[in-house]
Every structure is written in C-alpha cells, then in structure tokens.
C-alpha cells in the first residue's frame, strides 16, 4: 500500500533545503547583491539616521528572517561595519523555532568580530511579534529591517508588510528578498499549479505580488533582479536520493516521488522541463531560481 501524501515537517524541510542549497546558486546570488548594492543602501541609512536622530554612531536593526538564512544576517552586519567602522548595532531577531534560535546563537558565539553588536532574540512568529509590540505599546523604530525568503509562510502578507514598514525610523529601509517573476517557480505556480499537491501550506507568491502590496500602500520602492540557478538533473533519475529530496523541496511534500500518483509525478517532471522553468547546460537541467531584492523606503 502506497503511503498517503503529507507536508514536510520542520526537520524534513531542513534536510530538503540543505539539498537545495548544495545544488543552487541562491547564496551566491545574495552575495552578489550584498557586494553590488548593500554598501550603498546601508551607507545612506546610517548617514541619514545619524543626522536625523542624533544617535552618535548607533544603528538599530530588526532582522525578521527564516532560520536558514541566518548567515546572511552576519554578512549584512559585516557590510555595515565595513562601511561605518565603530558603529554600534542593535540587532533583533524574530524566529519561532527554538532549535533555530539556539543554532543562530552558536553561530554568533563563534564570530569574534561582532564585539560592537548586541543581539535580542524573539522566539516568536512575525505575527506574534507584531501582537506583542501592539499589546505592550512599545513601537520601537529601526533603521533597517530585512525579510529574506520568509513571506511565503506569513498568514497576512499585506498587513505584515504594513506593520514592519511602520517600524522603520525616518529614512529607514526595508529589504524584502523574494522569488522573481522570471523564475521557474513563478511559471510553475502560474501554469502548472494543478500539478502541485495541496499539502504545502505556503503562499505561491513572487515579486509582483509584493510590489502590488507596496503600490497599494503608496510606499516608494526599488527592485533589483539577480539571476540564480538550481541544478535539478537528479529529479529525473529514477531512485536517486538527492533527486527525491529535491522533489520534496519543490512540492513541500514528504517522499513526493514515492507517494504521489504516477500521473502527477509525470506531469510535474514534464512541467519542470519546460523552457519557462528550466534550461539545459552541458546536459544538466538548471531550474531558474532568480531572485528579486526589493528595497522599500520609509
């Protein structure tokens, strides 16, 4: 008897995500953005905030992110330190999973170059954090807030963006990193959603869905597009363990290849091969994982 299809648990998602990172250029894509754009972004933030708020060499950051991007926090902090040596950084993290909080703390403890950085840990979802802030009536303002690949799991995306935008200090910036409309994900979700199981509770949202929200809010924003690829060749190799984990990550389903009906598996694999989803390079199938970096003004 074939087991029924079900969503990945948090731990299973971690394993599937690791496989994704090992075969994709997602972090290289983010590194390119950090190199090309982040210095100018944080230079403007700190210069203006120091002038407007008179906080001598001080910056407040809230990083509302999923656990798997925690090393991107430290990269951004180090960019800020390089652009403004001596700036003291208040860094607040919103993360609901206690294991992920513990892992992030360990990462911080192993970083000797963070002496001028304080960390406040909120073991909460973004909604719980918002409710806590409103209940306490302490609406703290931040110079820089970032949401890296996390809005897929937010219940109310427009209100979440609206709330965190309201947390920006004068001339602050909100950075949202989300999948691009030019990505294979966008095409897969738009044209082949009926191929995807109904087990994944995430939002099928890409850059245009976020910019529509920002336009309704009437806030100024800029979008930077960066190419990224994911080698999914093993998805088409019968019985390949790596390919199995890739398909699990693609669908949010545990053991998709072993539990999905044969017709569904076939349709999804055919969809993945379409040119709007993937390209072929040297015999390898490269799924488009292009990212949009959206910088929102206060």
């Amino acid at each position: 008897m074939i087991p029924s299809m079900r969503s990945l648990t948090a731990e299973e998602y971690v394993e599937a995500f690791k496989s994704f990172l090992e075969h994709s250029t997602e972090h290289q894509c983010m590194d390119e953005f950090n190199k090309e754009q982040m210095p100018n972004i944080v230079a403007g933030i700190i210069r203006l905030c120091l002038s407007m708020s008179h906080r001598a060499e001080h910056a407040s950051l809230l990083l509302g992110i999923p656990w798997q991007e925690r090393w991107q926090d430290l990269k951004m902090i180090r960019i800020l330190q390089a652009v403004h040596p001596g700036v003291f950084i208040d860094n607040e993290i919103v993360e609901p999973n206690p294991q992920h909080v513990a892992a992030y703390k360990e990462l911080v403890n192993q970083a000797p170059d963070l002496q001028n950085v304080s960390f406040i840990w909120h073991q909460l979802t973004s909604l719980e954090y918002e409710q806590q802030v409103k209940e306490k009536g302490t609406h703290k303002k931040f110079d820089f807030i970032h949401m890296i690949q996390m809005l897929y799991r937010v219940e109310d995306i427009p209100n979440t963006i609206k709330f965190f935008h309201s947390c920006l200090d004068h001339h602050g910036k909100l950075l949202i990193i989300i999948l691009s409309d030019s990505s294979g994900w966008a095409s897969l979700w738009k044209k082949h959603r009926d191929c995807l199981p109904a087990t994944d509770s995430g939002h099928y949202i890409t850059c245009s869905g976020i910019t529509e929200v920002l336009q309704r809010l009437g806030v100024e924003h800029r979008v930077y597009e960066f190419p990224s690829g994911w080698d999914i060749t093993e998805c088409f190799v019968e019985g390949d363990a790596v390919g199995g984990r890739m398909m699990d990550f693609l669908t949010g389903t545990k053991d998709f290849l072993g539990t999905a009906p044969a017709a569904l598996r076939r349709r999804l694999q055919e969809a993945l091969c379409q040119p709007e989803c993937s390209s072929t390079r040297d015999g390898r199938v490269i799924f488009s994982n292009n990212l949009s970096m959206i910088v929102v003004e206060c």
Side-chain angles (χ1 to χ4, degrees):
M1 181 177 178
I2 298 176
S4 59
M5 299 173 68
R6 66 167 177 83
S7 297
L8 296 171
T9 65
E11 290 73 20
E12 290 165 349
Y13 176 83
V14 169
E15 292 305 312
F17 182 77
K18 286 179 181 177
S19 179
F20 163 75
L21 287 182
E22 289 170 0
H23 296 85
S24 79
T25 61
E26 171 142 325
H27 278 176
Q28 294 92 318
C29 173
M30 291 184 186
D31 288 343
E32 195 67 23
F33 170 75
N34 285 338
K35 178 182 177 181
E36 293 184 12
Q37 301 297 337
M38 277 299 293
N40 289 333
I41 292 171
V42 299
I45 290 170
I46 302 305
R47 181 172 61 251
L48 291 169
C49 287
L50 290 178
S51 173
M52 296 300 298
S53 63
H54 306 289
R55 292 178 298 192
E57 296 188 338
H58 189 282
S60 296
L61 289 86
L62 172 70
L63 307 180
I65 61 167
W67 75 272
Q68 63 264 26
E69 304 295 356
R70 59 185 179 263
W71 45 83
Q72 293 295 330
D73 287 19
L74 303 187
K75 290 179 181 179
M76 290 183 179
I77 288 171
R78 289 181 175 113
I79 290 171
L80 180 55
Q81 290 177 317
V83 173
H84 291 282
V87 168
F88 188 87
I89 301 170
D90 292 331
N91 181 203
E92 301 201 16
I93 298 94
V94 177
E95 167 56 57
N97 189 305
Q99 293 177 321
H100 302 162
V101 171
Y104 191 2
K105 287 182 178 180
E106 181 62 25
L107 195 66
V108 169
N109 290 336
Q110 295 173 1
D113 57 337
L114 301 176
Q115 296 91 342
N116 287 343
V117 185
S118 69
F119 292 88
I120 300 175
W121 312 87
H122 302 282
Q123 191 180 306
L124 303 166
T125 65
S126 60
L127 179 59
E128 290 169 342
Y129 176 81
E130 177 181 348
Q131 292 171 338
Q132 183 182 89
V133 167
K134 291 178 177 177
E135 288 170 3
K136 291 183 177 180
T138 54
H139 206 132
K140 185 175 181 180
K141 296 292 184 177
F142 296 90
D143 301 326
F144 181 63
I145 300 172
H146 76 58
M147 300 175 176
I148 302 179
Q149 296 280 47
M150 59 81 70
L151 286 172
Y152 313 106
R153 300 292 176 174
V154 168
E155 293 182 17
D156 189 335
I157 291 174
N159 279 332
T160 296
I161 293 176
K162 183 178 181 180
F163 168 73
F164 282 104
H165 183 261
S166 74
C167 293
L168 290 176
D169 207 346
H170 194 50
H171 293 294
K173 298 279 196 300
L174 167 63
L175 170 63
I176 298 172
I177 298 182
I178 201 85
L179 284 162
S180 169
D181 295 311
S182 67
S183 69
W185 297 97
S187 177
L188 192 66
W189 294 339
K190 182 179 180 180
K191 298 181 180 180
H192 307 287
R193 189 173 298 182
D194 61 332
C195 291
L196 299 175
T199 57
D200 191 1
S201 59
H203 291 283
Y204 294 135
I205 189 165
T206 53
C207 178
S208 60
I210 303 302
T211 56
E212 287 172 7
V213 171
L214 296 173
Q215 288 165 3
R216 289 198 298 270
L217 292 175
V219 295
E220 183 181 345
H221 58 278
R222 289 168 289 155
V223 179
Y224 302 89
E225 296 283 339
F226 281 79
S228 174
W230 178 22
D231 188 337
I232 61 169
T233 307
E234 279 70 29
C235 285
F236 308 98
V237 179
E238 187 70 27
D240 189 275
V242 172
R245 286 192 293 272
M246 289 179 177
M247 291 298 283
D248 290 358
F249 183 74
L250 267 165
T251 64
T253 303
K254 173 61 177 175
D255 190 19
F256 173 80
L257 293 178
T259 61
L264 178 58
R265 295 197 306 269
R266 214 165 32 245
R267 291 182 64 196
L268 185 54
Q269 288 175 326
E270 289 173 359
L272 290 173
C273 290
Q274 298 304 308
E276 60 265 28
C277 284
S278 303
S279 59
T280 303
R281 303 174 200 165
D282 300 324
R284 307 292 295 180
V285 181
I286 309 299
F287 185 78
S288 173
N289 188 61
N290 297 347
L291 299 180
S292 295
M293 284 64 167
I294 308 171
V295 180
V296 186
E297 306 290 337
C298 178

